[in-house]
Amino acid sequence: MIQEILPQDEQYMNYALVLAEQAFEEGEVPIGAVVMKDGVVIGRGYNQVEMKENPTAHAEMIAIREASIKLLNWRLTDCTLYVTKEPCPMCAGAIYLSRIRRLVYGASDDKSGYAGSLHNTVQDARLNHHVDVVAGVLADKSRDLLQRFFSDLRDK
Amino acid sequence: MIQEILPQDEQYMNYALVLAEQAFEEGEVPIGAVVMKDGVVIGRGYNQVEMKENPTAHAEMIAIREASIKLLNWRLTDCTLYVTKEPCPMCAGAIYLSRIRRLVYGASDDKSGYAGSLHNTVQDARLNHHVDVVAGVLADKSRDLLQRFFSDLRDK
């Protein structure tokens, strides 16, 4: 099913990219995420796995946690999550669990993407919640940032 | 591939069941998890989604977080995770990400299990880490506890 790109999608993805840049500056794989509800940012996150020695500290997880604190509710109904790269298996699972309505992502990930590339957890018809998905929003910017990070790493 | 049950598996699963009982007493879906390394408990968790209003506060996630803090390392190489119920999509993803070597679980979950039932994230050959899996250890005890919880809920 092809999902429609909304006028505000690029604006919010640009903010997720600012958070990805922050991860880059701190030596982390540059991925950023925001959770939006009714035009308000209610969750923000960027990848912090190395810094926090936490295998679950992905951008999406941190943004979802912040959003559930803001709403005093673990159900993020009517929220949209923007993330610069296609979610991994864990984050796709967290998006499904938190009942997020819409997922917008940038670059696809053919190595571990679980929102369409290797598997599609967020639209698995056997699970009890399904998420609308828009892929490819500002994908080039996200891919450029990731490539720059891994190229710098190789040069070290 | 059939995995061997080790002599200590029931002992550690019993401890995970004690943690599941704790969740039950606090009104949470009764699931418990422990992370073991060289015979030492380095992570413990039980489901706390409602209490913490956190969609990601599953037993496995809390146990993995505690273990990575104990080891000062996000890589839980050579660790075994025991959990009373088959992991959901998110937790299966976290187990893969944290490089856990071995997963032992109790009851299977045909509604959302992602370690063999609906899908098998932890043994997805296309991902860069694969986990040995043993299913069904003290499964009856885990299932009884879950059924008691949902039956109590219906009676309320």
Side-chain angles (χ1 to χ4, degrees):
Chain A
M1 185 168 47
I2 295 167
Q3 291 292 329
E4 196 185 357
I5 298 182
L6 300 178
Q8 65 272 31
D9 285 345
E10 289 207 354
Q11 181 192 352
Y12 300 151
M13 186 63 81
N14 256 322
Y15 185 43
L17 280 161
V18 168
L19 294 163
E21 295 262 9
Q22 184 67 33
F24 186 100
E25 280 167 29
E26 297 182 16
E28 301 275 352
V29 178
I31 299 167
V34 290
V35 177
M36 301 294 305
K37 185 181 167 74
D38 303 328
V40 177
V41 179
I42 60 164
R44 292 165 310 164
Y46 57 88
N47 184 34
Q48 298 188 294
V49 169
E50 301 291 343
M51 195 183 335
K52 295 198 169 166
E53 289 293 359
N54 181 354
T56 72
H58 283 191
E60 299 95 314
M61 303 298 282
I62 296 166
I64 286 171
R65 180 69 194 115
E66 186 174 300
S68 62
I69 289 171
K70 288 267 170 61
L71 297 182
L72 293 172
N73 195 330
W74 64 260
R75 295 166 194 82
L76 306 184
T77 323
D78 296 328
C79 292
T80 297
L81 186 138
Y82 293 82
V83 58
T84 55
K85 189 191 72 68
E86 182 182 358
C88 78
M90 172 184 68
C91 293
I95 291 163
Y96 134 74
L97 283 174
S98 62
R99 315 266 174 97
I100 281 171
R101 192 169 60 81
R102 190 165 173 265
L103 163 66
V104 181
Y105 67 82
S108 291
D109 179 357
D110 61 6
K111 289 201 172 55
S112 69
Y114 255 45
S117 291
L118 298 188
H119 180 73
N120 195 342
T121 300
V122 297
Q123 297 184 324
D124 183 336
R126 302 162 302 176
L127 296 173
N128 69 356
H129 177 71
H130 313 114
V131 182
D132 293 338
V133 178
V134 178
V137 174
L138 303 184
D140 288 348
K141 281 191 180 180
S142 166
R143 205 175 297 116
D144 287 353
L145 190 62
L146 286 160
Q147 281 173 352
R148 187 149 54 90
F149 178 81
F150 288 111
S151 152
D152 283 5
L153 215 58
R154 275 193 300 273
D155 293 343
K156 268 176 188 165
Chain B
M1 187 168 43
I2 295 167
Q3 291 292 330
E4 197 185 356
I5 298 181
L6 301 178
Q8 65 273 31
D9 286 346
E10 289 207 354
Q11 181 192 353
Y12 300 151
M13 187 61 81
N14 257 322
Y15 185 43
L17 280 161
V18 169
L19 293 164
E21 294 263 9
Q22 184 68 33
F24 186 100
E25 281 167 29
E26 299 183 15
E28 300 275 352
V29 178
I31 300 166
V34 289
V35 176
M36 301 293 305
K37 185 182 166 73
D38 303 329
V40 177
V41 179
I42 59 164
R44 293 165 310 164
Y46 58 88
N47 185 33
Q48 299 188 294
V49 168
E50 301 292 343
M51 194 183 336
K52 295 198 168 167
E53 290 291 0
N54 181 354
T56 72
H58 283 192
E60 300 95 313
M61 303 298 281
I62 296 166
I64 285 171
R65 180 68 194 114
E66 186 174 302
S68 62
I69 290 171
K70 288 266 168 60
L71 296 182
L72 293 174
N73 195 330
W74 63 261
R75 295 167 194 83
L76 306 184
T77 324
D78 296 328
C79 292
T80 297
L81 186 138
Y82 293 82
V83 58
T84 56
K85 190 191 73 66
E86 181 181 358
C88 78
M90 173 184 68
C91 293
I95 292 163
Y96 133 74
L97 283 175
S98 61
R99 314 266 174 94
I100 280 171
R101 191 169 62 81
R102 190 164 172 265
L103 163 66
V104 181
Y105 67 82
S108 291
D109 179 356
D110 61 6
K111 289 200 173 54
S112 68
Y114 255 46
S117 291
L118 298 187
H119 179 74
N120 195 342
T121 300
V122 297
Q123 298 185 323
D124 182 336
R126 302 162 302 174
L127 296 173
N128 68 356
H129 177 72
H130 314 115
V131 182
D132 293 338
V133 178
V134 178
V137 174
L138 302 183
D140 288 349
K141 283 191 179 180
S142 165
R143 207 175 295 115
D144 287 352
L145 191 61
L146 285 160
Q147 281 172 352
R148 188 148 54 89
F149 178 81
F150 288 111
S151 152
D152 285 5
L153 215 58
R154 275 192 299 272
D155 294 344
K156 270 178 187 164

